[in-house]
Amino acid sequence: MNTIPANATVLRSEAPGQRCFLLLQGPHGPFFDRLARLLQEAGAEVWRVAFNAGDAFFWTPKERMIRHDGSVAEWPQHLDRLIAEKHVTDIVLYGDVRPVHSAARMAAEKHNLTLHAFEEGYLRPFWLTYERGGSNGFSRLMKITLPQMGCALQGRQGEVARPPAVWGDMRQHKFYGAVYHFLILAANKRFPNFRTHRDISLWKEFRLNFSRLVLTPMTMLDHAIRTWRIRRRGNPFSLVLMQLEHDSSFRAHSDYKTMAEFTDEVLEAFATHAPRHHHIVFKGHPLDDGRSHQRHDIMRKAQELGVAKRVHHVPGGKLAPLLGQARSVITVNSTAAQQALWRGLPVKAMGRAVFDKPQLVSEQSLAEFFVHPQRPNPVAYRCYRDYLLETSQIPGGFYATRARAPALRLVVDMMLAAEDPYDALANGKAEMRQQPGADSG
């Protein structure tokens, strides 16, 4: 019997014409605008809440836009009024822990609405994530066991090629991020009470996004040189997957307040327990803009511990060349760890993550992990991976035109379906998935 925990999902049996979707903040760029068009074509009513000029710019049907020009504290009451006035049945958002979205998640539960949560792909780089009720630490995956996944698959596991190393829409991601923050700086007069959920000013946010975009060629060159130097050495090395310090998953689903707390803990264990000929490589996030000075913090601690010659930092770029040579992988809860698990590498997760399950990630201490890291069970990981590919992982992406089309082609029908992706698979109603290829990169 297929037993998947229900976990606060809402089944919608209404026809599209009886549904009202309220879209909140989405990925930078036009993804939510394109999504709304398809929902409207299906017969659903669609509204969008704009919290700033960036949200408003990427929304075409202005007559279907609602401005929230109040404070964050005023948002829950505004949302309750909108739900009542518009007869909202569904709330759609990207990233479920920023303040306005945390309030929406609670409102959806309070009013018995369906919450559609989008996130970057748990499997990278050619998938995005679609779930109901929440993502990452709030995902239903946190409570679905591997035996339940295997039961739901019922022989559906097939051969899935390893994803290519090229991240298909990173340039577009950076471009839309820069445009979005520029618009907030230059045209936000209609949103006088808007405050970013980041800890830095809007001007600094824009400046960092713009400089990251401009400096991309130099960053890529620096990444290539440092990667080449590491690969040509004969020293075994552990790879640490860095995350953005302001990343919602890092902040909401780990006990660390800063990345420096995490890297200091890792370096102390490495200096004390790793064999003396082993090295450690800290791989920067592709969207790291330098605001948290991660390289400086890492090398300062390495000098303090007397292991600086064995410690390396590589800026954002392709992960595959380093994974191909790494001995093991350490992370807080980065979804990039899925690529390591896909390759059979030992993984140690220091935070709460959807992939942190027995037989997948190591349950050893850091000290033990540096000496004899435990590899994932390949059968268990294949079950987990195939389960994700049949449920929450949508081929495509948010940012590039050629990546949006395959994703939209599939996800709109999933949003209109009565059951969420996990229940649909358990009940034999999962949508057919295409494999990521040239059109989804």
Side-chain angles (χ1 to χ4, degrees):
M1 180 177 180
N2 294 333
T3 53
I4 301 297
N7 244 36
T9 60
V10 179
L11 298 185
R12 288 289 172 198
S13 58
E14 299 99 323
Q18 299 173 301
R19 307 270 293 270
C20 179
F21 288 82
L22 183 67
L23 278 63
L24 305 184
Q25 291 190 297
H28 298 152
F31 182 83
F32 265 22
D33 186 70
R34 305 295 188 267
L35 177 68
R37 289 186 187 183
L38 290 172
L39 289 170
Q40 287 179 306
E41 288 179 13
E45 185 177 357
V46 182
W47 294 88
R48 172 77 184 268
V49 178
F51 296 87
N52 57 55
D55 294 337
F57 179 81
F58 289 110
W59 183 251
T60 303
K62 302 302 182 186
E63 72 280 1
R64 288 279 165 178
M65 187 183 78
I66 302 163
R67 283 191 299 117
H68 177 71
D69 51 16
S71 66
V72 173
E74 296 171 308
W75 166 239
Q77 287 187 330
H78 186 188
L79 178 57
D80 281 343
R81 291 197 305 272
L82 290 175
I83 291 170
E85 292 170 5
K86 305 297 184 185
H87 304 290
V88 172
T89 59
D90 300 74
I91 296 177
V92 188
L93 50 78
Y94 166 81
D96 62 357
V97 296
R98 61 184 68 178
V100 295
H101 289 171
S102 291
R105 195 176 63 246
M106 290 186 284
E109 186 173 352
K110 171 184 172 184
H111 296 286
N112 198 33
L113 309 179
T114 300
L115 181 75
H116 305 268
F118 284 91
E119 187 54 271
E120 301 294 340
Y122 293 150
L123 300 178
R124 301 280 183 97
F126 289 105
W127 291 272
L128 58 84
T129 298
Y130 165 70
E131 297 178 281
R132 295 189 188 178
S135 57
N136 292 311
F138 297 114
S139 168
R140 291 184 65 192
L141 284 171
M142 299 295 290
K143 295 184 178 180
I144 300 176
T145 66
L146 286 171
Q148 288 171 329
M149 293 179 183
C151 185
L153 283 169
Q154 291 189 329
R156 294 172 67 109
Q157 292 169 283
E159 291 300 320
V160 180
R162 183 178 294 171
V166 179
W167 197 305
D169 53 6
M170 185 55 65
R171 288 191 301 273
Q172 293 89 338
H173 192 164
K174 293 178 180 179
F175 170 75
Y176 283 128
V179 171
Y180 183 86
H181 289 98
F182 172 76
L183 289 165
I184 296 174
L185 278 174
N188 219 43
K189 290 182 179 180
R190 299 177 67 193
F191 302 88
N193 294 300
F194 174 74
R195 299 292 182 273
T196 177
H197 60 284
R198 310 294 194 199
D199 292 335
I200 62 175
S201 68
L202 288 170
W203 167 248
K204 188 171 183 180
E205 183 91 26
F206 165 72
R207 183 169 58 82
L208 289 170
N209 273 275
F210 182 75
S211 51
R212 180 181 64 195
L213 180 64
V214 171
L215 295 175
T216 294
M218 293 180 61
T219 302
M220 291 175 64
L221 178 61
D222 187 22
H223 167 87
I225 292 171
R226 291 176 183 272
T227 299
W228 176 79
R229 287 174 177 169
I230 292 166
R231 285 169 58 89
R232 71 190 295 265
R233 300 178 70 104
N235 300 84
F237 66 88
S238 296
L239 184 63
V240 182
L241 303 178
M242 300 294 286
Q243 294 170 244
L244 301 177
E245 194 166 280
H246 56 274
D247 177 73
S248 57
S249 183
F250 171 78
R251 291 198 162 191
H253 305 304
S254 82
D255 296 327
Y256 299 106
K257 293 182 175 62
T258 66
M259 283 302 296
E261 291 181 7
F262 164 64
T263 55
D264 283 358
E265 182 178 350
V266 170
L267 282 169
E268 287 168 1
F270 172 78
T272 305
H273 301 286
R276 295 181 62 179
H277 64 293
H278 285 201
H279 286 215
I280 189 168
V281 178
F282 291 83
K283 166 66 173 59
H285 190 279
L287 295 176
D288 180 33
D289 52 23
R291 73 182 66 179
S292 59
H293 309 290
Q294 292 179 2
R295 180 182 291 182
H296 174 269
D297 291 340
I298 290 166
M299 299 316 298
R300 173 195 52 77
K301 186 66 175 181
Q303 288 281 2
E304 178 186 311
L305 295 170
V307 292
K309 291 183 179 180
R310 298 163 55 201
V311 177
H312 313 271
H313 180 276
V314 177
K318 294 180 182 179
L319 177 60
L322 288 169
L323 278 179
Q325 303 290 324
R327 178 174 183 263
S328 61
V329 169
I330 302 168
T331 185
V332 177
N333 52 18
S334 171
T335 52
Q338 301 270 6
Q339 294 190 48
L341 292 170
W342 202 310
R343 289 164 171 80
L345 290 173
V347 171
K348 175 68 179 172
M350 305 294 287
R352 297 174 289 280
V354 294
F355 56 83
D356 187 4
K357 296 184 181 295
Q359 300 185 70
L360 299 186
V361 303
S362 172
E363 298 181 280
Q364 299 168 290
S365 67
L366 269 178
E368 296 170 322
F369 189 75
F370 276 119
V371 178
H372 276 303
Q374 292 177 347
R375 297 181 61 186
N377 181 311
V379 176
Y381 178 69
R382 178 174 174 178
C383 173
Y384 172 81
R385 180 202 68 193
D386 288 4
Y387 183 79
L388 263 62
L389 291 174
E390 291 282 357
T391 54
S392 62
Q393 301 307 287
I394 312 299
F398 295 118
Y399 307 102
T401 302
R402 63 180 180 177
R404 282 195 300 270
L408 290 169
R409 200 171 292 134
L410 184 64
V411 79
V412 172
D413 285 341
M414 294 175 66
M415 294 175 70
L416 293 170
E419 297 170 304
D420 87 338
Y422 304 121
D423 290 326
L425 179 64
N427 296 325
K429 299 177 182 178
E431 294 279 350
M432 177 66 70
R433 306 299 174 88
Q434 69 270 34
Q435 292 302 313
D439 291 333
S440 58

